[in-house]
Amino acid sequence: MAVISYKHKFIYALAPRTASTATADYLIKTLDAEWIPKNDVLDDGGIIKVDKKHSAFKDLIQNGVVDLDIVKPFLTFITVRNPFDSLFSAWYKKKFTYTKLMNEKDSFIFKKPGFLDDMLFVKDRTFSEWIVKNYQKLAEDEVKRHLNGKFLHHADRVMRFESLNQDLKEILQEYDIPYPGEIPIINQTEGKPKDYRQYYTTEARAIVEQAYSLDLEKFDYEF
């Protein structure tokens, strides 16, 4: 999902684990934005084609949710996050936060290919074991990539999770859009440790550094 404001001519796409829910809620309440699409867009097998929460500009365009003719003149922006921190958050949610959804058959965990299998894997595995399983091959293929690379396509501006309010203020001022104040904190992951570094082995750190070297270079992130 994304949020669009026809009044202020912007679209914000919700990249995962970047305070995007809080940002979207804020834009809706303060800058006349609305959700697009209103619900998940599913294929004939019930698998999500366009996520009602996390859909990139390309997803919206290719599935007819929004026209490219609208995307081009509008301000399009997203938020990025340190990949070391973001991946730890993803593992933590699968291991602890989302387990309560196992009994909800309509939950998104059953509609995203491979998501449930990954949850079952992390149940009895460490964070570093999960990193090796999912990201070692990416580290070995020598391709430079972003963690949420597909969200960067068609994005005019990028905010950093770590300096979110300042970046948002600067972007809105640049495009002559009113800045209503700081984004309230909502939807924090309950119980998640603040320091992700203690969960990284030397091997896991090296894998992430190689797999997502482009994030580290372009957005000046480090361990």
Side-chain angles (χ1 to χ4, degrees):
M1 182 177 281
V3 295
I4 187 170
S5 172
Y6 293 98
K7 178 179 180 179
H8 297 292
K9 294 181 171 55
F10 68 74
I11 307 173
Y12 174 72
L14 284 71
R17 303 180 301 281
T18 59
S20 58
T21 300
T23 303
D25 184 66
Y26 162 94
L27 295 172
I28 289 169
K29 291 178 178 177
T30 63
L31 290 173
D32 300 287
E34 61 187 72
W35 292 110
I36 54 169
K38 303 295 184 184
N39 297 292
D40 288 332
V41 177
L42 307 178
D43 65 15
D44 293 338
I47 301 300
I48 294 174
K49 292 171 59 180
V50 181
D51 195 314
K52 69 179 181 181
K53 186 174 181 181
H54 297 301
S55 50
F57 300 113
K58 184 177 180 180
D59 300 325
L60 300 172
I61 295 167
Q62 289 185 340
N63 290 281
V65 176
V66 64
D67 292 333
L68 181 59
D69 290 341
I70 291 179
V71 173
K72 283 185 175 181
F74 276 36
L75 160 65
T76 52
F77 62 115
I78 66 163
T79 311
V80 297
R81 183 175 182 176
N82 188 322
F84 292 107
D85 188 16
S86 182
L87 289 176
F88 174 70
S89 181
W91 170 82
Y92 186 91
K93 287 182 177 182
K94 287 183 177 181
K95 191 175 183 70
F96 299 107
T97 307
Y98 295 146
T99 53
K100 61 186 178 182
L101 301 177
M102 300 285 279
N103 296 321
E104 299 180 18
K105 297 304 181 184
D106 290 330
S107 169
F108 75 91
I109 69 173
F110 298 101
K111 298 176 182 179
K112 289 189 173 183
F115 200 94
L116 180 60
D117 289 339
D118 206 38
M119 283 184 61
L120 295 174
F121 177 86
V122 303
K123 182 179 179 181
D124 299 310
R125 302 305 208 292
T126 66
F127 171 64
S128 289
E129 288 175 318
W130 179 74
I131 288 290
V132 171
K133 169 185 174 286
N134 288 303
Y135 302 100
Q136 187 171 38
K137 289 183 178 180
L138 298 183
E140 294 172 347
D141 67 11
E142 299 183 353
V143 174
K144 289 191 174 184
R145 59 172 61 79
H146 293 284
L147 177 59
N148 287 317
K150 73 172 186 174
F151 287 85
L152 289 165
H153 293 295
H154 298 291
D156 298 317
R157 293 291 184 272
V158 174
M159 303 184 295
R160 286 173 36 125
F161 171 83
E162 297 79 11
S163 54
L164 179 58
N165 280 294
Q166 182 59 35
D167 291 353
L168 177 63
K169 182 178 181 179
E170 291 176 2
I171 289 173
L172 294 182
Q173 289 177 342
E174 179 184 350
Y175 283 82
D176 296 320
I177 300 171
Y179 174 64
E182 292 194 355
I183 302 168
I185 298 174
I186 64 171
N187 202 34
Q188 283 187 310
T189 304
E190 185 177 351
K192 185 171 74 71
K194 293 183 178 180
D195 187 7
Y196 60 82
R197 295 171 184 84
Q198 62 183 306
Y199 289 84
Y200 273 88
T201 61
T202 301
E203 180 184 27
R205 175 179 174 178
I207 287 173
V208 176
E209 285 178 340
Q210 186 63 34
Y212 297 112
S213 60
L214 199 55
D215 277 322
L216 306 184
E217 294 172 8
K218 184 168 184 175
F219 301 121
D220 198 27
Y221 283 129
E222 57 185 22
F223 184 68

